[in-house]
Amino acid sequence: MKVVVIGDALVKSATLKDAVLQMNLEGKIDKIEVFEWHSDLTKDHFQKHILQIERYGPEKVEIPQGILEALKDAEYLFAHYAPISEIMLKSAPKLKMIGTCRGGLENVNVAAVRELNLPFLHVIRNAEPVADFTIGLMFAETRNIARAHLSIKSEQWRKSFSNDAYKTTLANMVVGIIGAGYIGRLVIKRLNALGIKVIVYDPFVDPAIFARDQLSVELKSIEEVFKEADIVSLHMRVTEQTKNMINKDLIQLMKPGSYIINTARADILAKDDLVDALKNRKIAGAALDVSWIEPIPKGDPLLSLDNITLTTHIAGDTVDAIPRAPYLLKDVVNAYLKNGYSDMLIK
């Protein structure tokens, strides 16, 4: 049996190979062939390739040299950020499984995977950090933590803010979750622990999962969530169906004292509609860890708003999230091979 692994600047091929050796794959591993995808770059220089593949997908970036030949007799393919494109998949007639040790799917041609009916497993390597950060942004935006800090650094002592008429404790608010996948459910778990009412929209999640995970939620339509929630937190993937899904039609349903939090992907939110709502005080504020262009360019309208908290796409960035990722994938693969199912199986 042959396994192909592709390392990159963040997850080294040696680590991924070590995790593969701990997988209970079907049969004896005869060969693990290793490839690299910009593994020689620093984290900062690798960022441009991350942004490229997240925005344009696996068909628009270069693939590792020699990999098409290697995939001809490979039965398993594991990677992190490297592209898994249609030509790669169609070069691998013996492939039994694909695994990636990250949550996003932008680097994989999912349609091609489905067409070939291959099991595709992934892991939300930074799910816990993102869930923590999401809660942090809720506090930071609603209670003006970042703005007060900025005023002190600017030699001011600011006590008044644009949301003064709506300031209250998080316990008095209703939080709406759009997208109750793995990260969304971790956010719900934290909100439940804080005693905060949670309403949810996700037509693709089996309602039985909430009972299984002992989560207290009310399921609503997306329009009901935007009408009723004081904070709407976005946790969806970017697809053709979800791009610009959160637009003026939904934002105009929100209460004047409500907020939008986005730690998912920028493209699910219509930028001009959000800027208009914030500029004209149609909603109280927003907090974004992701932006449509990163870094945010000088002169961007986001930078002139006084009712938004911006961070530099760091929600999932902790010292242990990425190094643990291959071993999380190992656990997911082993559980799937043992039980025949997994929450991390992309269908």
Side-chain angles (χ1 to χ4, degrees), residues 58-218:
E59 307 301 332
K60 302 294 185 180
V61 299
E62 72 278 16
I63 62 176
Q65 187 174 4
I67 198 166
L68 298 182
E69 181 67 26
L71 285 170
K72 287 182 179 179
D73 57 349
E75 295 184 41
Y76 295 89
L77 171 60
F78 298 109
H80 177 234
Y81 249 114
I84 299 178
S85 65
E86 183 176 18
I87 191 171
M88 290 170 62
L89 293 168
K90 290 188 174 179
S91 297
K94 296 183 179 181
L95 210 56
K96 293 181 179 178
M97 178 187 289
I98 299 163
T100 59
C101 48
R102 62 183 297 264
L105 307 179
E106 301 92 343
N107 61 316
V108 180
N109 189 323
V110 178
V113 173
R114 288 175 175 148
E115 184 181 335
L116 295 171
N117 198 30
L118 286 169
F120 171 25
L121 294 160
H122 72 146
V123 297
I124 315 295
R125 57 166 165 73
N126 55 4
E128 295 281 351
V130 172
D132 288 345
F133 201 91
T134 302
I135 300 297
L137 285 182
M138 292 180 188
F139 282 114
E141 176 56 31
T142 62
R143 297 301 306 279
N144 303 298
I145 295 170
R147 280 186 281 278
H149 171 78
L150 178 62
S151 77
I152 295 171
K153 298 285 283 186
S154 303
E155 299 182 351
Q156 301 173 29
W157 194 260
R158 190 174 174 188
K159 302 279 284 185
S160 179
F161 302 93
S162 62
N163 65 347
D164 281 353
Y166 312 111
K167 281 189 298 190
T168 185
T169 63
L170 208 58
N172 290 331
M173 295 183 173
V174 174
V175 175
I177 300 293
I178 307 296
Y182 190 56
I183 293 176
R185 295 199 301 275
L186 287 175
V187 174
I188 295 168
K189 180 180 178 181
R190 286 154 171 75
L191 292 168
N192 282 172
L194 293 168
I196 296 162
K197 181 178 177 180
V198 180
I199 57 179
V200 170
Y201 170 76
D202 191 328
F204 302 105
V205 170
D206 184 348
I209 288 177
F210 299 111
R212 182 201 69 184
D213 293 350
Q214 298 181 309
L215 299 175
S216 176
V217 303
E218 292 182 18

Side-chain angles (χ1 to χ4, degrees), residues 41-56:
L41 299 180
T42 64
K43 180 179 177 180
D44 288 343
H45 285 95
F46 187 58
Q47 185 65 28
K48 70 176 183 180
H49 295 284
I50 291 176
L51 294 175
Q52 186 180 25
I53 204 164
E54 286 184 351
R55 184 160 292 274
Y56 301 112

Side-chain angles (χ1 to χ4, degrees), residues 301-342:
L302 293 171
L303 302 178
S304 65
L305 297 168
D306 188 43
N307 52 354
I308 192 168
T309 298
L310 301 169
T311 54
T312 54
H313 205 156
I314 55 172
D317 190 6
T318 60
V319 295
D320 53 348
I322 291 176
R324 290 177 58 235
Y327 301 101
L328 291 176
L329 179 61
K330 176 260 298 183
D331 292 340
V332 166
V333 168
N334 286 346
Y336 173 75
L337 291 173
K338 179 181 179 181
N339 301 319
Y341 66 89
S342 172

Side-chain angles (χ1 to χ4, degrees), residues 259-274:
Y259 303 84
I260 291 176
I261 310 292
N262 190 8
T263 54
R265 289 288 183 264
D267 285 341
I268 62 182
L269 187 54
K271 180 180 179 179
D272 291 345
D273 295 347
L274 175 66

Side-chain angles (χ1 to χ4, degrees), residues 1-5 13-25 29 31-32 76-79 326-327 329-330 333-334:
M1 175 179 50
K2 179 179 174 180
V3 180
V4 169
V5 303
S13 57
T15 306
L16 196 50
K17 181 178 179 180
D18 184 60
V20 167
L21 291 171
Q22 299 176 43
M23 294 178 183
N24 301 321
L25 302 179
I29 298 176
K31 184 178 183 181
I32 300 178
Y76 295 89
L77 171 60
F78 298 109
Y327 301 101
L329 179 61
K330 176 260 298 183
V333 168
N334 286 346

